[in-house]
Amino acid sequence: MPNSKIERVLRHDGIVAVLDWFTDPAHSGDPEWVGDDRWNPIVMEAVKLRQIAQEPSVRVLVGDHAVLVSGDDKHVVGVVFIKGHPVVKSVVRMVRQLLRPRASQPSVSV
């Protein structure tokens, strides 16, 4: 069941899909996903690209859309959004908010 934080992000006009995934073995679980399922394989490949690049975040451009994946080795968030849409100004802030620790989760820095 997706958490309410990613569902709130998806409600913004211009957001197509959202991934929230605790990858830390101590808190690991299945990735939480909301939105257009066709984007899931692309976002998961962007997660791999972030790991290969050893960068805290990557942005992948796909046609009229962009995928922003950010996080660390314990928690990763991905957002698919429409390029050039006004929501672009808020995407980085939304990702930071998703990466903030929940009351029951360890802290994650970006």
Side-chain angles (χ1 to χ4, degrees), residues 1-6 18-22 29-34 40 76 78 102:
M1 182 71 147
N3 69 60
S4 61
K5 287 173 91 175
I6 65 174
V18 184
L19 167 76
D20 190 11
W21 190 12
F22 284 91
D30 292 330
E32 295 184 25
W33 178 267
V34 293
N40 187 279
V76 177
R102 298 179 199 156

Side-chain angles (χ1 to χ4, degrees), residues 61-75:
L61 303 179
V62 182
D64 293 334
H65 294 80
V67 178
L68 175 63
V69 173
S70 188
D72 60 19
D73 59 344
K74 296 178 183 176
H75 187 193

Side-chain angles (χ1 to χ4, degrees), residues 49-86:
L49 178 62
R50 187 192 67 80
Q51 290 173 313
I52 292 167
Q54 297 181 356
E55 293 291 337
S57 66
V58 295
R59 189 176 299 212
V60 178
L61 303 179
V62 182
D64 293 334
H65 294 80
V67 178
L68 175 63
V69 173
S70 188
D72 60 19
D73 59 344
K74 296 178 183 176
H75 187 193
V76 177
V77 171
V79 178
V80 180
F81 55 96
I82 299 169
K83 289 190 316 190
H85 192 282

